[in-house]
Amino acid sequence: MKFLSFRSILLVAATCMLVTLAQPNAKAEATLGIGSKAPAIDIEHWLQDGKGFFKPVKKFEKGKVYVVEFWATWCGPCVMSMPHLAELQNQYRGENVQIISVSDEEVEEVKEFLARENKELKKTFDEITSAYSLTTDPDRSVYKDYMEAANQQGIPTAFIVGKTSQVEWIGHPMEMEEPLQQVVSDSWDREAFKKAMEEQQRLEAAIQEISMLAGAGKFDEAIKLVDKQLEETDDAALQANLKDFRSSLMLSAGHVTDEVVKYYRERLEEMKGDWMSLGQFAYSLTAVVQQGGSVGPLAGEAVAALAPIVDKVDAEAKPLVYNILAQLSKIDEKLDEAIKFQEKAVELSDDRQKKRMELFLEELKSEKEDK
């Protein structure tokens, strides 16, 4: 059973990259967690009822499974989850499963949203959500009892309430297909998920601390904490993200060791022929140098990997890619090459980009004249 989802892994990676100097907000201790008795719900407005199939719920009935999912009309990922929620509800219709989506917006605001059309599906959101129970609770009582009590910070978030009226699972609604199936079939391992979730929360807290240290320029301390997490984490995908973050921190600290160079050479080989991945990697190298780090021979090696496939780059992205190649060539102390790349960046730029590209080209030419 896989508990640490791909989305969770991406969350860790994203958290790693969002280095901040701000202190984290102190969190109150969660009063609602896996295994807790699910609070009764007092929702003000029930706008969808599965075309008459479902009735409003206050207390959860034994033997039934419920999904309490939090959403908002302004939340893109919430809206993207709606067809999946409808699909799940239709799949379990008649099997004592009820999905209840809860907003905290005013009724008219939600109704206006429901009248809009999803252009991709060519259906209104009223039609899309008609399969399940869509509600709004402007006094936020349910939000407080679930989201705030469980220390959940963002939406969409879903809570699966099992047949014993206990919280079985908490997570993104796009990831609850397997947990829901197992809760319904009585094969769900609640304690194993609880342990995995606690481990994930511990790891995210550690990464937040690492990010703070990195944001304060304390790279060596940050690297030590990453090493500690690597020792304590068994999940291979999470280890891969941590190793990637560690290598980035090493460059930021100016530690261009043989180990780090070897790591990134392997990454370059993996990205061979993929201009988008190579472009993102190349850009990350320029950012490291701009922040005072060092990339050693990787600047030239990234140019050697990206330059031969620049013709494959989307037209609108080509000026930016040529600009990145110019920056890396400058870092690699190859000014003639940098000038050629930047001239191409200027040539392909639109009016909005051209002035900025020309300024860097002038800088490169001036630096060459001074030598």
Side-chain angles (χ1 to χ4, degrees):
M1 189 183 299
K2 186 177 178 182
F3 295 115
L4 290 173
S5 66
F6 185 61
R7 175 178 172 272
S8 301
I9 294 165
L10 288 178
L11 174 63
V12 171
T15 306
C16 290
M17 300 310 294
L18 294 174
V19 176
T20 174
L21 293 171
Q23 294 290 330
N25 295 326
K27 288 185 181 180
E29 185 176 350
T31 56
L32 183 73
I34 306 304
S36 297
K37 180 176 174 57
I41 56 177
D42 185 14
I43 296 174
E44 294 177 79
H45 306 286
W46 293 74
L47 304 178
Q48 297 278 31
D49 61 3
K51 297 180 180 178
F53 191 85
F54 299 109
K55 294 180 180 179
V57 173
K58 287 199 172 183
K59 292 184 178 180
F60 300 116
E61 294 183 38
K62 299 288 184 181
K64 292 187 177 182
V65 175
Y66 301 85
V67 174
V68 181
E69 185 253 356
F70 293 87
W71 73 286
T73 61
W74 48 261
C75 167
C78 302
V79 175
M80 290 174 64
S81 299
M82 287 176 168
H84 184 62
L85 291 173
E87 182 181 338
L88 284 177
Q89 184 63 89
N90 284 328
Q91 179 182 342
Y92 290 104
R93 186 177 293 271
E95 295 188 44
N96 288 324
V97 175
Q98 183 172 357
I99 296 175
I100 305 166
S101 285
V102 187
S103 175
D104 61 4
E105 297 161 286
E106 295 299 328
V107 174
E108 288 309 313
E109 192 171 359
V110 177
K111 285 184 176 179
E112 286 175 13
F113 165 79
L114 292 176
R116 285 164 41 194
E117 184 180 69
N118 180 310
K119 293 180 180 179
E120 185 178 341
L121 297 178
K122 295 182 179 178
K123 293 181 179 179
T124 65
F125 287 103
D126 182 72
E127 292 174 296
I128 293 168
T129 61
S130 64
Y132 57 95
S133 301
L134 185 132
T135 75
T136 190
D137 189 47
D139 73 1
R140 305 185 91 238
S141 62
V142 182
Y143 185 94
K144 291 172 186 173
D145 287 345
Y146 280 80
M147 293 290 289
E148 291 183 8
N151 274 338
Q152 293 298 308
Q153 304 298 309
I155 55 175
T157 294
F159 296 72
I160 296 179
V161 179
K163 296 177 183 179
T164 58
S165 302
Q166 291 171 279
V167 176
E168 302 287 351
W169 180 88
I170 303 172
H172 195 286
M174 295 297 285
E175 295 174 359
M176 71 177 181
E177 186 171 348
E178 182 181 344
L180 182 59
Q181 183 274 322
Q182 292 179 5
V183 170
V184 171
S185 64
D186 299 318
S187 60
W188 177 245
D189 191 335
R190 182 198 303 151
E191 289 305 312
F193 177 74
K194 181 178 180 179
K195 182 179 178 182
M197 189 172 181
E198 288 171 349
E199 168 65 13
Q200 182 177 324
Q201 290 170 338
R202 181 198 64 76
L203 182 61
E204 287 173 6
I207 288 174
Q208 188 174 27
E209 184 179 358
I210 291 164
S211 297
M212 286 173 54
L213 289 169
K218 299 178 180 179
F219 297 111
D220 289 335
E221 291 181 45
I223 290 165
K224 287 180 182 177
L225 276 181
V226 173
D227 288 338
K228 183 173 183 292
Q229 296 307 313
L230 281 167
E231 290 176 5
E232 296 177 357
T233 302
D234 295 327
D235 186 274
L238 289 174
Q239 281 195 339
N241 280 314
L242 286 168
K243 286 177 181 177
D244 192 59
F245 190 32
R246 184 185 191 281
S247 298
S248 176
L249 288 171
M250 289 285 284
L251 293 181
S252 296
H255 303 325
V256 190
T257 64
D258 291 343
E259 178 189 1
V260 171
V261 171
K262 180 176 181 292
Y263 174 81
Y264 280 119
R265 280 176 177 160
E266 290 172 355
R267 289 289 310 279
L268 281 167
E269 186 62 29
E270 291 170 5
M271 292 183 280
K272 191 174 182 179
D274 182 350
W275 72 263
M276 189 172 291
S277 295
L278 285 169
Q280 290 170 344
F281 174 68
Y283 177 77
S284 72
L285 293 181
T286 66
V288 166
V289 174
Q290 287 168 4
Q291 293 167 8
S294 176
V295 298
L298 296 171
E301 292 179 23
V303 170
L306 181 57
I309 60 170
V310 74
D311 288 341
K312 297 180 181 179
V313 176
D314 293 344
E316 64 272 17
K318 274 186 180 177
L320 298 175
V321 172
Y322 273 114
N323 174 250
I324 291 169
L325 288 168
Q327 291 184 58
L328 287 178
S329 296
K330 178 187 175 184
I331 292 167
D332 198 33
E333 299 182 351
K334 294 180 179 177
L335 284 176
D336 288 337
E337 192 173 275
I339 290 169
K340 288 179 182 177
F341 284 132
Q342 193 61 20
E343 286 175 338
K344 197 68 177 174
V346 171
E347 176 190 334
L348 297 173
S349 293
D350 58 26
D351 293 338
R352 180 177 53 85
Q353 297 171 313
K354 196 175 289 286
K355 186 174 181 180
R356 180 171 61 85
M357 297 297 187
E358 287 175 339
L359 285 172
F360 185 51
L361 179 59
E362 290 170 11
E363 179 186 323
L364 291 170
K365 289 180 175 178
S366 176
E367 187 171 334
K368 183 183 177 183
E369 288 174 3
D370 290 342
K371 284 200 170 183

